[in-house]
Amino acid sequence: MNELTYEQLRASVAGAHVALRSRVELAPAGGAGDKVFPPTYGVADSADHKYADEKRTIGLNPDGSAITTTAVLLNSVASEAKRLGFALREALELGELTFPNPYVDFSGQDGLADLDRISTLEASHRVADALFRDSLLDGTLFRLSDIGRAITEARPDSATAMLRYCPTALLFGVWDSTGPKGGLGSKFQRAIVSEIVGLGAQVGRKVGSRIDVLGIESSVVIYESKNADEGWTLDENEAVQDKGKPKPFDRKGVSDKPGRPSKVNHGNVTPTIDPKSGGVTIDSASQVAVLSFAALRKLRFPTDANGQRVDPSNRRAAETAARSAVAALGVAALAYQVEMDYDLRSRCLLVPTGPQRFELLSRDGSEPTVVDLSREGAARIVAEAARALAERGMAWESDEIRLEPAPKLAELIRRSRQNTAAAGDQNAAAAGDQNTVAAGKG
């Protein structure tokens, strides 16, 4: 098997292939029959469960009839984009890849240093996120800076500025809906799509209960204390009065009656059975990712990195170099993400059952070209792609693009945290109650 090279990738992007497909076969870390827990979604009370499942055709019988199975979504396209982005971030931090990745630096902000830095690879809407809109580049609101204006004006038929300052936006897609053009802001489609599904899914149930080691009974009544720091009290004279009577302690998110000790996390939890989010067993799982060269070929780069029109004689080669550089980042994301492992959420750890398989897909329906790709090989491809960009006058930014939150954004975060802290004692405790119950159910 041949290792994928930059030259082969460039030829594929230029038109030799339609896409690069990656497939990883997976299984629950606990082995056959072990449950995994997919993401849950808001559903009607009448729904059988909270998972996204559907019938999928996975092949054909000898008579031509479809072979179907129940598939359950284990990680969505959006969540996979985050995983792939985190893989690129890891490679950046290790110094194994080099490409521009604008970020907002909170490390010097009073009370916000824990946020550290948030880059376009973490922000939900990437470089178009409100986080960047409300941050400063060298003291100027990002959208009003030269770089910000260039990114705002970038569009699929003139994408050089986005390539120069935030190439991952061309890979993962972005819609500039929060910019000055609102809903008319530029849209770049995803060039890479990944999804993880489980096949042969059977929805299960989980149980929950808790025995209080203190033996506190529900017959004891507790009241809301006048002292907010105390929270609750047993003394009726120290309780908040409601129509001349002590007010039973209550807390949102805990379904028990007001005044019961369970409202403050004491007492037993009645055993329950949860049929709506009890996990699933599956026959198998797979991650399928497609890097679309066809999508990249829609991107146009009429100007060089300095904003000058590209000479017509160099245009095709320059555009191929630009598209290949974006493809190289996609290749790296696919290679690196396997080493990030597949711990998708609590009780959803998957492990590969075989090596990652890469295939170059042709438009004539012929058998895919199988290629090998290592982490080191992917890093070499990105480095060669960057050099090819520079040779064509399309080099991406080499300096860090560091922003700081605007004072109003920093203050918004602080006030939000203050409000959460003020009202959050009860909310946090309610969440603690729910988490304790959930832990018992696990």
Side-chain angles (χ1 to χ4, degrees):
M1 189 182 302
N2 294 324
E3 175 93 4
L4 181 67
T5 64
Y6 171 69
E7 290 75 16
Q8 189 174 20
L9 179 65
R10 182 179 59 190
S12 295
V13 171
H17 295 97
V18 176
L20 173 69
R21 180 170 63 203
S22 164
R23 189 177 185 95
V24 182
E25 300 300 329
L26 302 160
D34 188 33
K35 278 186 179 181
V36 292
F37 282 71
T40 57
Y41 297 91
V43 297
D45 291 340
S46 59
D48 293 333
H49 54 76
K50 297 181 179 181
Y51 302 134
D53 66 344
E54 62 187 13
K55 290 291 184 182
R56 290 199 181 188
T57 298
I58 58 174
L60 297 175
N61 290 305
D63 63 0
S65 60
I67 302 173
T68 62
T69 188
T70 299
V72 64
L73 184 66
L74 296 179
N75 225 35
S76 68
V77 170
S79 293
E80 279 295 282
K82 280 294 184 71
R83 282 188 68 252
L84 293 169
F86 290 160
L88 288 177
R89 181 190 66 183
E90 177 79 1
L92 269 178
E93 292 176 350
L94 291 172
E96 296 178 8
L97 297 183
T98 302
F99 59 89
N101 181 36
Y103 68 95
V104 180
D105 189 357
F106 288 91
S107 61
Q109 298 294 315
D110 184 33
L112 304 179
D114 60 293
L115 293 175
D116 195 18
R117 58 164 65 183
I118 301 176
S119 78
T120 59
L121 292 173
E122 291 93 66
S124 298
H125 296 94
R126 288 172 270 284
V127 74
D129 199 272
L131 166 65
F132 291 90
R133 181 200 65 201
D134 294 333
S135 292
L136 305 175
L137 179 60
D138 297 328
T140 301
L141 277 172
F142 182 56
R143 291 288 189 175
L144 302 180
S145 69
D146 290 342
I147 293 177
R149 289 182 188 277
I151 287 175
T152 298
E153 293 301 318
R155 54 188 190 273
D157 63 356
S158 184
T160 305
M162 194 69 83
L163 172 72
R164 178 179 177 181
Y165 299 116
C166 188
T168 54
L170 302 179
L171 177 65
F172 295 116
V174 65
W175 177 21
D176 190 12
S177 62
T178 66
K181 299 179 183 179
L184 299 178
S186 296
K187 293 182 181 181
F188 293 88
Q189 77 174 79
R190 296 179 189 271
I192 191 168
V193 175
S194 176
E195 186 180 57
I196 301 178
V197 298
L199 302 178
Q202 298 286 336
V203 177
R205 301 180 176 212
K206 63 180 179 182
V207 298
S209 64
R210 185 186 69 203
I211 302 299
D212 186 0
V213 296
L214 301 177
I216 295 174
E217 295 291 337
S218 62
S219 57
V220 179
V221 180
I222 62 174
Y223 305 100
E224 183 177 339
S225 176
K226 295 176 183 178
N227 185 338
D229 293 333
E230 290 289 338
W232 63 274
T233 181
L234 293 168
D235 190 335
E236 295 185 12
N237 295 322
E238 296 179 359
V240 172
Q241 299 297 306
D242 182 16
K243 297 180 181 180
K245 295 182 178 180
K247 183 179 180 181
F249 187 89
D250 198 8
R251 177 174 288 138
K252 293 180 180 179
V254 182
S255 59
D256 214 342
K257 294 180 180 179
R260 289 193 172 180
S262 60
K263 289 289 186 177
V264 290
N265 228 31
H266 289 299
N268 298 329
V269 173
T270 304
T272 59
I273 296 177
D274 179 359
K276 292 184 178 289
S277 54
V280 300
T281 54
I282 54 176
D283 294 336
S284 63
S286 64
Q287 178 202 28
V288 178
V290 175
L291 173 59
S292 173
F293 304 142
L296 292 178
R297 286 193 283 269
K298 295 179 183 179
L299 298 173
R300 308 303 299 273
F301 301 89
T303 60
D304 63 18
N306 295 318
Q308 302 300 311
R309 301 294 296 184
V310 176
D311 188 284
S313 63
N314 186 44
R315 175 76 177 266
R316 182 173 292 275
E319 290 196 321
T320 297
R323 295 163 184 157
S324 299
V326 179
L329 293 177
V331 164
L334 291 173
Y336 274 79
Q337 59 90 31
V338 173
E339 297 191 23
M340 298 286 288
D341 298 318
Y342 293 87
D343 189 15
L344 304 181
R345 67 193 57 83
S346 176
R347 297 192 67 182
C348 194
L349 173 61
L350 304 174
V351 293
T353 58
Q356 186 176 19
R357 181 179 174 88
F358 291 96
E359 300 171 319
L360 292 168
L361 309 179
S362 299
R363 63 171 62 92
D364 61 3
S366 59
E367 284 295 312
T369 300
V370 179
V371 294
D372 194 12
L373 180 64
S374 65
R375 174 182 180 137
E376 296 76 17
R380 284 194 298 270
I381 288 174
V382 173
E384 291 182 48
R387 285 195 294 270
L389 271 183
E391 290 171 0
R392 295 294 176 179
M394 309 288 285
W396 52 38
E397 193 69 16
S398 58
D399 295 333
E400 278 196 326
I401 303 175
R402 175 186 173 274
L403 288 75
E404 292 185 337
K408 63 180 181 181
L409 175 59
E411 185 60 23
L412 174 63
I413 300 171
R414 292 190 190 98
R415 291 191 186 185
S416 176
R417 289 184 168 190
Q418 290 167 1
N419 290 347
T420 299
D425 287 341
Q426 291 187 356
N427 292 336
D433 289 345
Q434 292 176 317
N435 289 337
T436 301
V437 173
K441 292 180 180 179

